[in-house]
Amino acid sequence: MLKPYASPKMAMKDQPIAQADLDRHAVFTTEGLRFEVDGNPILHPLDATFNAGEISGLIGHNGSGKSTLIKLLARQIRPAGGRIVFDGASVHSYDMRAFARAVAYLPQDTTSAAGMTAEELVACGRYPWHGALGRFTELDREKVETAMRLTHVDTLKGRMVDTLSGGERQRVWIAMLVAQDSRCLLLDEPTSALDIAHQMEILGLVRELSRTKGLSVILVLHDINVAAHFCDHLYALKHGRLIAAGPSPSLMTAETLHMIYNTNMGITAHPVHGTPLAYVI
């Protein structure tokens, strides 16, 4: 018999957010942020705050605006209006190298890195610190070695990237971001092509890095149970609008999930951890 899960109050659109949430230091803030293509709105004016040192998950159906939002945060595309603030200043006030030193971005579709070893790919993360013509220093080598050790790919350093398994390859890409030595990671569906075992491995690694290095992480995820398990806060988008946000357990209610996904879902307690699990009715 399914055990019901009692969810705490969540912060939804048009509802006040707890003062404790407002008092936390913000790594990213959006103010009336919007994006459009050929005059068609893709992201409607969006106000959101992402806390430093936490893992923030963007959830919602396909086409809801998740990847658009994370690309805007990463300065991969320019907004049609509004403002993005990083560490108290407009993201567009940073020069490219300064921003790359602070924020690392992993797109949904990475290049194949054909002809490169794992160590060479990880070393690319040091580019913002020495530039195209700069000398690769002993400090750079130490950062690469540390990143590979932290992400458990140090044994793969001599392997060609295109010979690695999906999970190994993704860990190497994340090692590159760690070598970049940034304070914030932006990850667009980092587990989309992986099986469940490798999904848990990669997200467990991301959580470990966030906790041990104090990294702020914002990532796009599709599986609501995986998102609720690994993320501190969730932000739900629908048709380009932010419709719910709050601590992960607070969004795990049948009513809220139906609002997000237009699907009848129930909530039960995890038999081991007691955390909420969603299932389709």
Side-chain angles (χ1 to χ4, degrees):
M1 182 176 179
L2 294 176
K3 179 182 177 182
Y5 177 82
S7 173
K9 185 179 180 181
M10 73 170 198
M12 292 177 58
K13 186 181 179 183
D14 300 326
Q15 290 184 344
I17 298 175
Q19 186 61 41
D21 289 333
L22 296 175
D23 290 340
R24 292 193 184 100
H25 171 61
V27 61
F28 269 106
T29 303
T30 69
E31 302 169 356
L33 182 65
R34 59 188 180 86
F35 183 77
E36 57 186 40
V37 175
D38 298 330
N40 297 313
I42 305 299
L43 198 69
H44 295 271
L46 186 148
D47 298 320
T49 298
F50 300 92
N51 295 324
E54 294 187 346
I55 302 178
S56 302
L58 305 180
I59 60 171
H61 58 78
N62 290 339
S64 61
K66 304 183 301 297
S67 290
T68 297
L69 176 55
I70 208 163
K71 287 176 183 176
L72 286 165
L73 298 179
R75 301 203 321 185
Q76 299 298 302
I77 53 178
R78 292 191 68 88
R83 188 165 179 252
I84 306 171
V85 175
F86 173 74
D87 260 2
S90 168
V91 294
H92 297 293
S93 69
Y94 294 83
D95 65 40
M96 291 182 63
R97 183 174 292 184
F99 189 73
R101 288 177 176 180
V103 180
Y105 168 64
L106 187 65
Q108 188 176 143
D109 299 314
T110 55
T111 58
S112 64
M116 298 182 71
T117 66
E119 187 175 30
E120 289 170 340
L121 177 57
V122 176
C124 290
R126 299 303 300 163
Y127 176 81
W129 297 92
H130 59 69
L133 303 178
R135 186 170 62 89
F136 199 79
T137 66
E138 184 61 32
L139 176 61
D140 292 321
R141 278 186 284 273
E142 290 175 2
K143 293 290 185 180
V144 170
E145 290 176 2
T146 299
M148 297 191 77
R149 184 175 67 254
L150 287 173
T151 54
H152 316 300
V153 295
D154 46 324
T155 59
L156 305 174
K157 64 181 183 179
R159 293 272 304 276
M160 304 303 291
V161 174
D162 51 10
T163 68
L164 301 176
S165 69
E168 290 171 334
R169 192 179 303 117
Q170 200 70 342
R171 276 193 285 133
V172 170
W173 278 104
I174 292 175
M176 184 191 75
L177 302 191
V178 175
Q180 194 169 326
D181 212 19
S182 60
R183 304 191 304 276
C184 181
L185 304 183
L186 303 177
L187 311 175
D188 192 356
E189 297 190 43
T191 61
S192 60
L194 303 178
D195 59 45
I196 187 64
H198 285 110
Q199 287 181 36
M200 297 300 102
E201 177 187 17
I202 294 301
L203 292 175
L205 171 61
V206 169
R207 182 167 61 184
E208 178 184 352
L209 291 170
S210 176
R211 300 298 186 254
T212 58
K213 292 177 65 67
L215 299 179
S216 307
V217 182
I218 304 174
L219 73 169
V220 175
L221 291 171
H222 274 293
D223 188 310
I224 183 59
N225 287 321
V226 170
H229 181 72
F230 285 100
C231 298
D232 301 302
H233 271 67
L234 294 177
Y235 300 76
L237 284 85
K238 186 174 185 178
H239 303 312
R241 301 181 188 276
L242 181 65
I243 61 170
S248 297
S250 70
L251 269 66
M252 297 294 282
T253 69
E255 178 185 10
T256 303
L257 295 181
H258 183 272
M259 176 179 64
I260 297 170
Y261 296 108
N262 288 335
T263 301
N264 292 326
M265 304 181 76
I267 304 294
T268 187
H270 190 286
V272 176
H273 307 298
T275 52
L277 286 174
Y279 57 93
V280 177
I281 298 175

